[in-house]
Amino acid sequence: MAKLDDLAAQCIKCGFCLESCPTFLITGDESQSPRGRITLSREANRLGRWDQATHEALESCLGCRACETACPSGVQYGKILELAREATTKEHGRAIRKPFLNALTQPNLARMQFGLAGLLPGGRPPAILSRLLSGELPQADAPRLPSPAPWPALEDHDLPPARGEVYMLEGCVMRVLYPDVNEATERMLRRIGYRVRKVNAGCCGAMHAHSGYLAEAESRAQSLAQAMPDDLPIIINSAGCGSTIREYGGVIGVGLEGFAHRAKEVSTFLLEHGLADALRRSPGLPGMVATYHDACHLLHGQKVKDPPRALLGAIPGLSLVPLPESDLCCGSAGTYNIFQPTKARTLLERKWANVESTGAGVVITGNPGCQAWIAQAAREHGQVVEVRHTLDVLEASFSGWRVGGE
Ligand code: SF4
Ligand code: SF4
């Protein structure tokens, strides 16, 4: 693969990325570092032989892309990983994973799976399924399906004049686990004058791309673009979907550079269109102390750090306290907590210790996977901390805090 070799050749082996890499931090093993993985992949690609050791080095990667943020040479590690995983998955991949991902990205099937798994003892998927998917015992509970109280109706006299339409990506996981976050996103858009044009759009291909199933990811990318043909902004509130769509035209999404350019990260769009001023005039959340966890595909994948903090900082009465290691992956990482449960658990416990050290009563994040995984830690540690999506908290500043979230 010439493309993989060209990308890997950008690495000058300086090692500046090592300390930013969660798997290197918890193992101290060079093969579990970005530099080690790039070296192994380049060599395997040159030989045309992807051995088991290289496969395992790539398997244990979170795909968090913290190494890209740290790299002074601009190495595009995420693209290297997707290409290398495609090669190694063909030889060593677990056959069950592709149908598993196919089911996870069909909302009706995913809803049924989560519901059934939630009925099992401990609310956790069966050990046999986890062993087939990962070779290890499960650590991730079936995500709970929260049932928050409905938002109050939005009155037209509370809203600014209409100024346009947008598309909104509902997301495979988001629409099943947190449909209220999609509703909050629509309400935020209306509060700055935008209406959401409804379309029947499917999966963006992110989970397949990150797992090495590039042909499946490509067909999903093309279908998504067909479902949103007009020249409108596409608002995205899931970090993982956003980083994939905004990079269409790279490894997947052939010819979809224009579509990628229309894709907008939600907090950035809201900030640029004046939501902070509206938030300052809202009732706010008096006395609330919260902290913010950076979803990797927001911070490292899309370089979005300040906009969510700026919006949350505009909420009257809300104290946002810094989270130590907020830029370190929580271990959720798409399907990482299902495919690599032991390492994911280590990272979750580290994240939780950092959350507890802040004394905050709420953890805010911008990705449904992080939200569900950190919410599991909150349940396991006595449910004294709530875990909410950024959009949920922003809407609460106008409409009040709702019980029944996570
Ligand atoms: S990926 Fe970047 S930071 Fe890491 S070793 Fe290569 S050049 Fe250095
Ligand atoms: S993507 Fe994350 S886990 Fe993988 S090499 Fe980069 S920093 Fe390490």
Side-chain angles (χ1 to χ4, degrees):
M1 252 185 291
K3 191 167 183 181
L4 194 156
D5 196 58
D6 290 347
L7 290 164
Q10 302 299 311
C11 175
I12 57 169
K13 299 189 167 57
C14 65
F16 284 174
C17 53
L18 297 193
E19 293 304 321
S20 70
C21 173
T23 53
F24 182 76
L25 279 183
I26 62 176
T27 65
D29 179 350
E30 174 76 14
S31 75
Q32 306 276 305
S33 78
R35 183 175 63 185
R37 291 179 176 120
I38 292 169
T39 304
L40 286 168
S41 299
R42 197 173 183 203
E43 184 64 3
N45 188 46
R46 189 181 68 77
L47 295 172
R49 196 173 64 246
W50 295 80
D51 61 17
Q52 186 65 25
T54 304
H55 175 67
E56 286 173 13
L58 294 168
E59 277 274 285
S60 69
C61 174
L62 293 142
C64 68
R65 296 169 62 179
C67 46
E68 285 190 14
T69 300
C71 177
S73 303
V75 171
Q76 298 178 71
Y77 178 84
K79 290 191 173 73
I80 296 172
L81 179 66
E82 287 177 356
L83 292 166
R85 271 202 177 145
E86 184 186 40
T88 188
T89 298
K90 279 182 183 146
E91 278 190 50
H92 302 283
R94 292 174 182 269
I96 189 177
R97 283 195 183 168
K98 191 155 58 169
F100 176 80
L101 287 177
N102 291 345
L104 197 61
T105 51
Q106 286 184 32
N108 288 338
L109 284 178
R111 203 171 284 115
M112 195 169 69
Q113 285 185 85
F114 295 155
L116 287 174
L119 297 175
L120 293 170
R124 204 164 267 189
I128 178 76
L129 177 63
S130 181
R131 286 209 183 278
L132 287 169
L133 287 165
S134 70
E136 299 174 6
L137 288 171
Q139 291 292 335
D141 293 347
R144 303 295 192 266
L145 303 175
S147 52
W151 299 110
L154 265 187
E155 303 296 341
D156 278 347
H157 58 75
D158 292 336
L159 301 172
R163 55 174 155 170
E165 275 192 311
V166 294
Y167 293 118
M168 183 184 83
L169 187 83
E170 291 188 55
C172 306
V173 174
M174 188 68 95
R175 80 179 76 183
V176 173
L177 286 188
Y178 303 115
D180 51 309
V181 172
N182 282 338
E183 192 187 344
T185 304
E186 282 199 61
R187 292 167 71 98
M188 283 298 114
L189 289 163
R190 288 184 67 191
R191 291 184 190 283
I192 57 165
Y194 284 91
R195 291 265 179 185
V196 171
R197 185 184 293 184
K198 298 285 181 190
V199 288
N200 188 17
C203 172
C204 66
M207 283 206 240
H208 288 82
H210 297 160
S211 299
Y213 302 113
L214 298 187
E216 289 75 8
E218 180 66 38
S219 69
R220 284 165 168 75
Q222 300 297 337
S223 299
L224 182 69
Q226 284 167 17
M228 298 178 173
D230 292 334
D231 188 20
L232 299 176
I234 303 150
I235 307 301
I236 305 174
N237 59 19
S238 290
C241 309
S243 72
T244 297
I245 295 172
R246 294 180 70 196
E247 292 176 358
Y248 278 174
V251 174
I252 64 162
V254 176
L256 297 181
E257 291 81 359
F259 184 82
H261 191 66
R262 286 198 279 127
K264 308 291 176 194
E265 190 280 317
V266 62
S267 66
T268 309
F269 187 86
L270 294 170
L271 187 66
E272 286 172 356
H273 291 80
L275 185 69
D277 287 339
L279 280 164
R280 285 188 201 99
R281 296 190 300 271
S282 70
L285 297 167
M288 181 168 287
V289 180
T291 194
Y292 179 80
H293 160 69
D294 287 283
C296 298
H297 283 94
L298 210 48
L299 179 65
H300 304 303
Q302 301 182 64
K303 310 299 179 217
V304 174
K305 179 178 183 181
D306 295 333
R309 288 177 167 86
L311 292 174
L312 293 166
I315 295 178
L318 175 72
S319 300
L320 199 61
V321 295
L323 175 64
E325 297 187 338
S326 69
D327 58 348
L328 191 77
C329 183
C330 65
S332 166
T335 49
Y336 194 85
N337 56 355
I338 299 168
F339 295 167
Q340 293 284 319
T342 305
K343 285 196 181 71
R345 168 60 76 174
T346 302
L347 290 167
L348 181 64
E349 295 305 326
R350 185 169 176 146
K351 180 62 64 182
W352 190 255
N354 281 320
V355 167
E356 282 194 321
S357 77
T358 68
V362 180
V363 185
I364 304 170
T365 191
N367 195 52
C370 310
Q371 185 176 350
W373 187 225
I374 299 173
Q376 177 175 329
R379 283 194 303 277
E380 292 169 349
H381 290 267
Q383 197 72 79
V384 290
V385 177
E386 292 190 63
V387 188
R388 298 289 178 104
H389 191 282
T390 309
L391 271 293
D392 193 7
V393 177
L394 297 178
E395 178 57 27
S397 182
F398 294 93
S399 300
W401 195 255
R402 300 174 310 154
V403 294
E406 290 225 50

